[in-house]
């Protein structure tokens, strides 16, 4: 029909294009027979090949990963992948634990001067004035009260003392019969009156004796006065020297030292605030003083004051940050509790610690202010140590160190000081390089 041929497939269906399809080969029962069609693949065989290909891919990938990690055969890789961080050596050194406490720089507590003068205060010095031997501390009734050095207070007037009076002997001046004999007019018939009895003759002044005399004469000699012997006797030579001293002070030349003329102190003093105003009555609270040496006072915790031993060296930190050497001079024996709000205890008990600064020039012009005091606590000599940052926490507990090859070794810790820590352990040695993890 119109030259078109309609073929049929092996299933008996007509083929498109009008051409008869080539006969299939392999439809016979014997393999290799010409003209037969190849056998069809079963769907199960196709799935098996897919599984084998996927398994092969997984195997190749695993081998590649193992090779990359160095776990396969061939050359051995490092024990662990490299870690970031710097390496330091374990050193053998001496560690010193230092502790800082707060303190106050100043001249110490102000003490009242033992002024014995009575009268009206007519002149007062400025606070902060330094007075030394022979200087006028204040004026009472316009008389100077002078500073002298010594441990004994002024407790009596100094000067020559009057000796005992001498009574006339019986019968003197012709009085030979005090009972009514000659010179009485009785039985003589003369009627003459007896001559008057002479007054007792005064004894010459006697030297005053005592340790206070020795103290005063030592000061008088130190001021440059001479003509007497420095001893425990206030003699006429001492009296003449006192008159010369009184003349220099503008005082009446009596040769005697009144109770309120001088005040004794242990040395040079720094005058504090006056306790009275001009025109007020003088008294023990008229003027206060301190020493002239600046020092540091610390209220140290009574529980942690084992460092405070007389003679212990400390470092004083000034407000500008500069360090100054100091020495513990004294430690109080009585602990006190600071008062908190409402009158209750505001903290643990403390003891007062006084620290001297031998080099006063190192303090500059600073007279008072807050400072820090650094003292040495514990000390460990010739121990293995590493920076504190090198310590790592181990999973099994405790601390350890990481070596350069990535191993971790156990490290027992000891004293921490100045950013270093004491370490010990069987695997640690001087010079071992350990990592500081970043």
């Amino acid at each position: 029909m119109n030259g078109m041929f309609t073929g049929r497939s092996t299933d008996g269906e007509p083929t498109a294009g009008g051409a008869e399809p080539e006969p299939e080969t392999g439809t016979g029962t014997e393999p290799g027979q010409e003209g037969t069609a190849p056998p069809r693949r079963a769907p199960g065989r196709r799935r098996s090949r897919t599984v084998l290909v996927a398994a092969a891919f997984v195997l190749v990938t695993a081998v590649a990963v193992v090779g990359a990690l160095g776990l396969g055969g061939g050359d051995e890789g490092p024990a662990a992948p490299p870690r970031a961080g710097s390496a330091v050596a374990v050193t053998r050194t001496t560690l010193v634990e230092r502790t800082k406490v707060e303190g106050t720089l100043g001249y110490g507590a102000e003490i009242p001067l033992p002024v014995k003068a009575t009268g009206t205060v007519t002149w007062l010095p400025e606070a902060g004035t330094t007075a030394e031997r022979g200087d006028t501390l204040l004026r009472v009734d316009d008389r100077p009260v002078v500073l002298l050095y010594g441990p004994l207070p002024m407790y009596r007037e100094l000067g020559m003392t009057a000796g005992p009076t001498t009574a006339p002997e019986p019968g003197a001046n012709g009085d030979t019969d005090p009972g009514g004999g000659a010179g009485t007019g009785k039985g003589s018939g003369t009627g003459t009156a007896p001559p008057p009895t002479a007054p007792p003759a005064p004894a010459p002044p006697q030297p005053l004796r005592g340790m206070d005399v020795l103290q005063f004469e030592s000061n008088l000699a130190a001021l440059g006065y001479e003509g007497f012997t420095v001893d425990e006797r206030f003699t006429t030579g001492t009296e003449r020297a006192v008159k010369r001293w009184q003349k220099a002070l503008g005082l009446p030349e009596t040769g005697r030292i009144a109770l309120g003329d001088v005040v004794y102190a242990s040395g040079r003093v720094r005058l504090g605030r006056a306790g009275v105003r001009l025109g007020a009555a003088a008294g023990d609270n008229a003027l206060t003083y301190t020493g002239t040496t600046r020092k540091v006072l610390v209220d140290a915790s009574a529980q942690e004051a084992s460092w405070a031993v007389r003679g212990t060296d400390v470092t004083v930190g000034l407000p500008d940050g500069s360090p100054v050497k100091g020495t513990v001079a004294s430690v109080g024996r009585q602990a006190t509790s600071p008062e908190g709000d409402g009158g209750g205890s505001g903290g643990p008990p403390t003891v007062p610690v006084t620290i001297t600064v031998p080099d006063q020039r190192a303090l500059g012009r600073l007279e008072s202010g807050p400072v820090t005091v650094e003292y040495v606590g514990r000390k460990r000599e010739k121990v293995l140590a590493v920076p504190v940052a090198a310590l790592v926490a181990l999973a099994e507990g405790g601390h350890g160190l990481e070596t350069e090859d990535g191993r971790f070794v156990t490290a027992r810790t000891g004293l921490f000081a100045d950013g270093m820590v004491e370490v010990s352990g069987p695997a640690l040695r001087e010079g071992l390089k350990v990592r500081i993890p970043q």
Side-chain angles (χ1 to χ4, degrees):
M1 294 170 50
N2 297 330
M4 297 291 292
F5 175 78
T6 302
R8 295 183 180 273
S9 66
T10 55
D11 296 330
E13 296 295 328
T15 61
E20 183 178 357
E22 296 181 359
E24 295 182 2
T25 60
T27 57
T29 59
E30 295 183 5
Q33 185 178 358
E34 296 182 3
T36 61
R40 288 190 177 186
R41 297 172 181 168
R45 294 181 62 188
R46 194 173 296 168
R47 286 194 298 272
S48 299
R49 175 176 291 182
T50 303
V51 172
L52 290 175
V53 172
F57 177 80
V58 172
L59 179 60
V60 172
T61 303
V63 171
V65 172
V66 171
L69 295 176
L71 301 177
D75 298 334
E76 294 184 358
R83 296 169 60 90
S86 58
V88 295
V90 178
T91 59
R92 188 172 296 278
T93 184
T94 297
L95 296 181
V96 179
E97 181 185 57
R98 302 180 185 275
T99 305
K100 290 184 178 181
V101 294
E102 296 180 353
T104 303
L105 177 68
Y107 291 93
E110 294 185 355
I111 304 172
L113 276 168
V115 177
K116 301 296 183 181
T118 58
T120 302
V121 176
T122 54
W123 178 83
L124 287 169
E126 294 184 3
T129 302
T130 298
E132 57 186 13
R133 184 181 358 232
D135 288 346
T136 298
L137 298 173
L138 72 163
R139 297 181 75 91
V140 178
D141 289 345
D142 205 27
R143 288 175 60 92
V145 178
V146 181
L147 174 65
L148 297 180
Y149 296 167
L152 286 176
M154 188 72 176
Y155 65 91
R156 63 175 177 173
E157 186 176 286
L158 299 180
M160 296 291 292
T161 61
T165 58
T166 303
E169 295 180 359
N173 301 322
D175 188 7
T176 57
D177 187 10
T184 62
K186 294 180 180 180
S188 61
T190 61
T192 59
T197 303
Q206 300 297 314
L208 185 68
R209 299 173 182 268
M211 292 298 297
D212 55 339
V213 175
L214 174 62
Q215 178 173 277
F216 175 77
E217 289 184 341
S218 299
N219 281 272
L220 200 59
L223 291 173
Y225 293 90
E226 301 175 346
F228 60 94
T229 302
V230 178
D231 54 14
E232 298 179 12
R233 300 169 66 247
F234 194 106
T235 63
T236 55
T238 309
E239 185 179 57
R240 289 191 294 268
V242 169
K243 290 181 179 181
R244 295 194 297 271
W245 181 45
Q246 289 174 331
K247 181 179 180 180
L249 293 173
L251 294 173
E253 301 173 31
T254 62
R256 304 183 65 84
I257 306 300
L259 185 63
D261 287 347
V262 300
V263 171
Y264 286 103
S266 59
R268 299 171 64 230
V269 298
R270 181 178 181 272
L271 300 176
R273 298 177 181 177
V276 297
R277 296 178 180 272
L278 291 178
D284 290 340
N285 62 341
L287 199 59
T288 61
Y289 76 102
T290 64
T292 58
T293 302
R294 289 167 288 183
K295 50 193 173 182
V296 176
L297 298 180
V298 175
D299 289 329
S301 171
Q303 298 177 351
E304 302 176 357
S306 58
W307 62 272
V309 179
R310 186 175 180 180
T312 301
D313 293 332
V314 298
T315 300
V316 178
L318 300 182
D320 61 359
S322 58
V324 177
K325 293 183 179 180
T327 304
V328 176
S330 63
V331 182
R333 296 181 179 273
Q334 183 176 1
T336 58
S337 297
E339 296 182 358
D341 295 337
S345 176
T350 60
V351 292
V353 179
T354 302
I355 298 171
T356 58
V357 180
D359 187 3
Q360 291 284 298
R361 292 180 298 177
L363 297 173
R365 301 180 62 182
L366 184 65
E367 293 189 348
S368 62
V371 296
T372 60
V373 176
E374 182 180 84
Y375 63 88
V376 174
R378 294 180 297 166
K379 185 177 182 180
R380 297 281 291 168
E381 297 182 353
K382 298 180 180 180
V383 295
L384 296 178
V386 296
V388 177
L391 288 178
V392 294
L394 300 179
E396 60 271 21
H399 295 92
L401 298 171
E402 182 185 1
T403 62
E404 281 189 311
D405 57 4
R407 295 181 298 109
F408 289 88
V409 295
T410 302
R412 292 186 296 272
T413 59
L415 179 63
F416 288 77
D418 298 329
M420 303 288 287
V421 58
E422 175 190 356
V423 292
S424 60
L428 298 181
R429 67 180 187 280
E430 184 178 1
L432 176 66
K433 292 295 185 68
V434 297
R435 292 184 178 276
I436 299 179
Q438 290 184 347

